[in-house]
Amino acid sequence: MKSLRIRRGILRQSLLTLMCMLIGFAVVTQLRTYENIANDVVKLSPEQRAELMISLIDRNAATEREINGLRQQNDEYRRTQSNGTSTLDQLAGDLNRYKLHTGAVQVQGAGVTITINYPLRAADVIALTNEVRNASAEAIAINGRRIIARTRIEEDDNAELYLDGEIQHAPYTIQAIGDKETLMGALNRVGGLIRIWNEIDGVDITIEQTGVITMPRVSNQPEFRYAQPAPKDGQ
């Protein structure tokens, strides 16, 4: 019995820590998106600026909903932690789901594969990943690299694209795990990024439904040296 209580305590603390990380990552995503757009917007055409503005508005609304949902879940877990109503199976299942969100584990599932044989700018990749997330993608990878909230998407003075400091070259393979029909419909919609890019001379884009997509875990997991889960009130 004592061992079971210890395991529950560890799972609860781990789950609360991951939820706090997710809230932080969601906020960081907004800040990094704004920073990247601010650096690139002066180089964009009016049409590209309008396109990015629409994407930013959509993503900001989605992120706000995600943050509010996580905060509500966090409050609920703290309440159940205090009265002991959480079950071990529930906590273990939730912990695994949050590991999927933070890229701590490998993921697998059906989805779509997008191939773009054209040089992309950092702002293009940010806009595309936002559009895919808004289409309810549960996991995203570019050229085999998992994309999560804290992934750095940037470019150098020569417009070379980098993901977490690693240079990327065309053709780009973007994979998204989620409902295939929903993703295909969102990506092929009139006025969407893919439709707009396909009208540019020299751009070659294909989108395919994929039965099984496997994405790696994020190798550079954060190490917390100073941040620790806060104790419950009264402890």
Side-chain angles (χ1 to χ4, degrees), residues 164-194:
D164 283 334
E166 294 288 333
I167 192 168
Q168 307 293 316
H169 297 290
Y172 307 102
T173 300
I174 299 97
Q175 294 183 301
I177 293 176
D179 183 86
K180 293 183 289 186
E181 297 298 333
T182 300
L183 288 168
M184 290 292 288
L187 291 170
N188 285 311
R189 67 182 176 85
V190 175
L193 289 174
I194 300 299

Side-chain angles (χ1 to χ4, degrees), residues 81-230:
Q81 183 181 19
S82 63
N83 61 31
T85 57
S86 294
T87 67
L88 184 61
D89 289 342
Q90 176 190 355
L91 288 169
D94 289 340
L95 181 59
N96 286 332
R97 281 192 290 274
Y98 289 116
K99 283 182 177 179
L100 295 177
H101 284 298
T102 58
V105 294
Q106 178 177 282
V107 293
Q108 186 178 72
V112 298
T113 298
I114 309 165
T115 304
I116 303 177
N117 193 8
Y118 186 81
L120 294 179
R121 305 291 296 272
D124 297 329
V125 176
I126 292 170
L128 180 58
T129 55
N130 287 344
E131 188 162 295
V132 173
R133 284 195 183 103
N134 290 339
S136 301
E138 297 176 357
I140 303 171
I142 298 177
N143 289 350
R145 178 178 291 273
R146 189 88 166 269
I147 304 298
I148 60 172
R150 61 189 179 84
T151 300
R152 298 196 321 273
I153 302 173
E154 52 199 357
E155 63 184 51
D156 61 18
D157 293 338
N158 297 317
E160 296 282 4
L161 177 67
Y162 289 82
L163 300 178
D164 283 334
E166 294 288 333
I167 192 168
Q168 307 293 316
H169 297 290
Y172 307 102
T173 300
I174 299 97
Q175 294 183 301
I177 293 176
D179 183 86
K180 293 183 289 186
E181 297 298 333
T182 300
L183 288 168
M184 290 292 288
L187 291 170
N188 285 311
R189 67 182 176 85
V190 175
L193 289 174
I194 300 299
R195 284 287 191 95
I196 293 172
W197 290 349
N198 267 326
E199 296 179 2
I200 300 174
D201 290 339
V203 175
D204 182 17
I205 302 176
T206 60
I207 308 177
E208 298 178 329
Q209 295 189 15
T210 308
V212 178
I213 298 172
T214 302
M215 298 181 186
R217 67 185 293 272
V218 175
S219 58
N220 56 336
Q221 288 293 313
E223 294 183 6
F224 292 90
R225 297 175 55 195
Y226 305 104
Q228 299 293 331

Side-chain angles (χ1 to χ4, degrees), residues 23-73:
I23 293 172
F25 290 161
V27 174
V28 169
T29 298
Q30 286 182 305
L31 295 177
R32 282 185 173 160
T33 297
Y34 296 148
E35 180 181 356
N36 284 323
I37 294 300
N39 291 335
D40 292 336
V41 70
V42 296
K43 309 172 187 176
L44 303 178
S45 67
E47 292 80 7
Q48 289 174 313
R49 292 179 188 178
E51 173 187 311
L52 284 175
M53 183 61 69
I54 293 171
S55 177
L56 272 175
I57 292 171
D58 290 343
R59 181 55 187 162
N60 182 66
T63 302
E64 289 293 340
R65 290 194 297 270
E66 182 180 358
I67 291 172
N68 290 334
L70 288 170
R71 283 175 175 160
Q72 291 173 3
Q73 285 181 291

